[in-house]
Amino acid sequence: MAAPVPGRCAFFVERKKRFCKMIVGKGKRFCGEHAAMEDGAGSRRIVCPLDPKHTVSEDKLEKHLKKCNSREKPKPVYYVKDRNAGSDGEAETAEVSLSQRSRTELVSLLDKLKAAVRGLQCDLEEKVLSHSALQDELDNPKNGESAHKHLRQQASILAHMAALGLLAGGRCFVEFGAGRGKLSHWIHQALREEPELQLLLVERSSTRFKVDGKHVDAGAEFERLQVDIQHLDLCGVPLLREKRLPVVGVGKHLCGAATDLALRCLLENPRCGESTEPPPKRLRSGNPGSPPAGPGSPAEPWGPAVVGLTVALCCHHRCQWRHYVGKDFFRQRGLGAGHFSAFCRMSSWATCGLRPTNHNAPAHSQANQRGDEDEEHEPAEETEDVNGFLSPSEREHVGRLCKLLIDCGRVDYLQNRGFTARLSRYVGSEITLENVLLTAVPSMPADPTPTCAQAT
């Protein structure tokens, strides 16, 4: 680029070998970011102390700090630090990559894995369903291959919810790792005629092109919470406290530890409003001045009633022992934090064992919560360094066993809290390799259904 584009900044960005593309003000040659280059510029620009990614005029620094998007904002009422983080309970073990382990150690890990999965139902039921709410979009030829794959997944998730009796009005659907909120959008479409419908979208990142913004005038109540699941206290969410509808947890590709955080968020909330003080004596309803006994009473103990959940699982290599809900399940099999860490790394072989690792890819957060629309999940382990140990098909099989073991720990956690939980393949592997769905509903008395911990 020999010269700047008319109306654009005249600053040459050496790193990109081109001129800055920012629009300039009338009569100016440089944009606000490079205004210090202007002849006779009044104030030099300095790096913002809150975020080094942008600059600010030195004489306007004090004013800028009050409105900078990177400033620390007041915490919402539903924010409780590390509310769902869990506790380690064991001394933390140093992370050891598979490439640093000896062949003897790898063989020992495989032996422990095979012993741990013995008795589990390794071949999950393939239960591919579809829901009529998405049929028009599925039949729309304008949708490309990528959009069609996401629609197939969303249609199957909704159909599984309907089969479990979870897709109904008079409930609040909490979508964890909501991203743009597509799953909540289709839940609303399926239940648009139902009364008392609430949709709560939980996403820690700011997201563009949110679909819930299209439902401002809809009969359902949409609310988006920008908070990490790790710090979310459902008892403090005003939308939930107002009507106190039963809660259904949902998620599409809730990555790694975010699944465990969501399970804790749903099932380990203490009864809100509980106090060490003895409860006040109730007055008879006929007495004048008696306090209201309805759900709006601030002194009434309350916690969300969870009637089920449907979560598509993925990215087991991003799980963390501290957050994991299946610690007891692992310990019963003689396994601990070190084995869990190794199995998490080996789980990436199920989806990434047949292609080389991208070493130049940026590192990912250990508990990514977003089900990104392109689902580009990077492997956590450099698989070519252990390629000589197992064949590609053997690595893939081992990776799936690791995923199964981790997921069965989650099933065991749910069963111990009075739920009937199942794992199933909700779409074919040609749609996505991360095709396992975790579902749970409260158990009926004397439920004879076989569990994940026992092969049928």
Side-chain angles (χ1 to χ4, degrees):
M1 190 182 294
V5 177
R8 304 294 173 126
C9 181
F11 180 81
F12 187 79
V13 184
E14 185 64 31
R15 181 174 61 87
K16 297 183 178 181
K17 304 299 180 186
R18 62 166 175 79
F19 287 94
C20 173
K21 296 182 179 180
M22 295 291 289
I23 298 175
V24 299
K26 187 175 182 179
K28 302 288 185 179
R29 293 183 59 235
F30 297 94
C31 66
E33 192 68 18
H34 302 118
M37 308 297 297
E38 199 83 49
D39 293 335
S43 174
R44 71 185 185 97
R45 296 187 70 84
I46 60 174
V47 174
C48 175
L50 300 179
D51 183 1
K53 293 181 180 179
H54 66 270
T55 61
V56 60
S57 296
E58 189 174 26
D59 59 350
K60 298 180 180 178
L61 177 61
E62 185 176 352
K63 181 179 179 181
H64 170 80
L65 293 178
K66 295 179 181 179
K67 62 180 182 179
C68 179
N69 289 335
S70 298
R71 72 188 185 280
E72 185 175 357
K73 302 177 180 64
K75 301 299 183 185
V77 293
Y78 47 79
Y79 179 96
V80 178
K81 185 173 176 58
D82 292 334
R83 173 66 192 83
N84 309 306
S87 57
D88 197 341
E90 294 181 12
E92 290 191 12
T93 57
E95 293 285 334
V96 181
S97 68
L98 298 181
S99 59
Q100 295 176 319
R101 296 179 184 270
S102 66
R103 187 181 184 90
T104 302
E105 289 178 307
L106 291 174
V107 170
S108 176
L109 282 172
L110 289 182
D111 290 341
K112 288 184 177 294
L113 174 64
K114 292 174 182 177
V117 300
R118 192 174 296 124
L120 301 182
Q121 185 176 352
C122 297
D123 296 326
L124 301 182
E125 176 189 10
E126 185 164 319
K127 195 174 181 182
V128 180
L129 305 176
S130 187
H131 196 278
S132 58
L134 292 89
Q135 195 58 50
D136 289 343
E137 284 298 307
L138 287 169
D139 295 337
N140 189 346
K142 294 182 180 179
N143 287 319
E145 182 181 356
S146 176
H148 190 263
K149 286 184 176 181
H150 287 286
L151 288 169
R152 290 275 300 274
Q153 295 173 64
Q154 291 154 353
S156 185
I157 292 174
L158 258 67
H160 276 268
M161 294 170 62
L164 293 170
L166 299 178
L167 200 60
R171 291 178 178 176
C172 179
F173 294 86
V174 182
E175 182 181 0
F176 294 96
R180 293 173 57 190
K182 284 288 189 69
L183 187 56
S184 291
H185 165 76
W186 288 116
I187 291 174
H188 171 259
Q189 293 297 101
L191 301 176
R192 52 170 45 180
E193 303 299 330
E194 297 289 335
E196 287 197 306
L197 178 62
Q198 294 179 343
L199 296 117
L200 195 66
L201 289 75
V202 181
E203 174 57 61
R204 67 178 179 183
S205 305
S206 59
T207 308
R208 300 175 66 193
F209 311 117
K210 298 182 283 289
V211 296
D212 43 299
K214 301 177 182 179
H215 298 287
V216 176
D217 299 325
E221 295 185 71
F222 279 80
E223 183 169 330
R224 180 175 285 265
L225 307 181
Q226 188 174 341
V227 62
D228 194 308
I229 303 173
Q230 180 171 330
H231 312 303
L232 173 60
D233 181 10
L234 286 180
C235 292
V237 178
L239 181 67
L240 283 175
R241 294 190 66 90
E242 183 180 348
K243 292 186 179 178
R244 307 195 178 189
L245 297 179
V247 168
V248 178
V250 298
K252 176 175 174 285
H253 291 282
L254 194 55
C255 298
T259 295
D260 301 296
L261 295 174
L263 293 178
R264 292 184 184 278
C265 182
L266 287 169
L267 303 179
E268 295 186 11
N269 268 299
R271 302 292 292 181
C272 300
E274 283 188 341
S275 171
T276 55
E277 298 293 330
K281 292 183 178 180
R282 285 180 175 265
L283 298 177
R284 293 182 181 179
S285 57
N287 291 348
S290 59
S297 176
E300 180 190 358
W302 175 80
V306 180
V307 296
L309 63 93
T310 309
V311 174
L313 307 169
C314 77
C315 295
H316 295 72
H317 59 268
R318 293 179 184 166
C319 294
Q320 295 181 24
W321 179 252
R322 179 192 179 190
H323 305 316
Y324 184 52
V325 296
K327 294 190 187 77
D328 291 341
F329 178 81
F330 260 60
R331 291 172 181 138
Q332 290 167 8
R333 283 157 175 74
L335 304 174
H339 302 103
F340 178 81
S341 175
F343 293 155
C344 285
R345 289 174 175 269
M346 293 163 70
S347 71
S348 65
W349 293 352
T351 54
C352 305
L354 300 180
R355 64 174 182 259
T357 303
N358 181 5
H359 288 285
N360 297 322
H364 286 262
S365 163
Q366 288 294 320
N368 180 30
Q369 296 173 13
R370 294 194 54 184
D372 293 334
E373 291 302 317
D374 54 5
E375 291 179 25
E376 291 180 355
H377 306 294
E378 291 294 336
E381 186 62 47
E382 51 280 9
T383 55
E384 70 274 8
D385 289 340
V386 290
N387 274 352
F389 178 63
L390 296 171
S391 68
S393 60
E394 289 173 330
R395 284 201 309 277
E396 183 179 357
H397 177 66
V398 169
R400 295 204 176 279
L401 290 182
C402 291
K403 285 177 174 287
L404 175 69
L405 185 64
I406 294 170
D407 290 339
C408 282
R410 292 162 170 166
V411 170
D412 181 73
Y413 169 85
L414 288 165
Q415 290 173 341
N416 289 334
R417 278 159 178 74
F419 284 79
T420 297
R422 288 186 178 87
L423 299 168
S424 59
R425 302 196 184 280
Y426 72 106
V427 290
S429 58
E430 74 280 2
I431 301 297
T432 176
L433 295 176
E434 298 280 20
N435 61 348
V436 175
L437 187 71
L438 172 64
T439 60
V441 292
S443 299
M444 299 296 290
D447 188 353
T449 306
T451 68
C452 174
Q454 296 177 347
T456 55

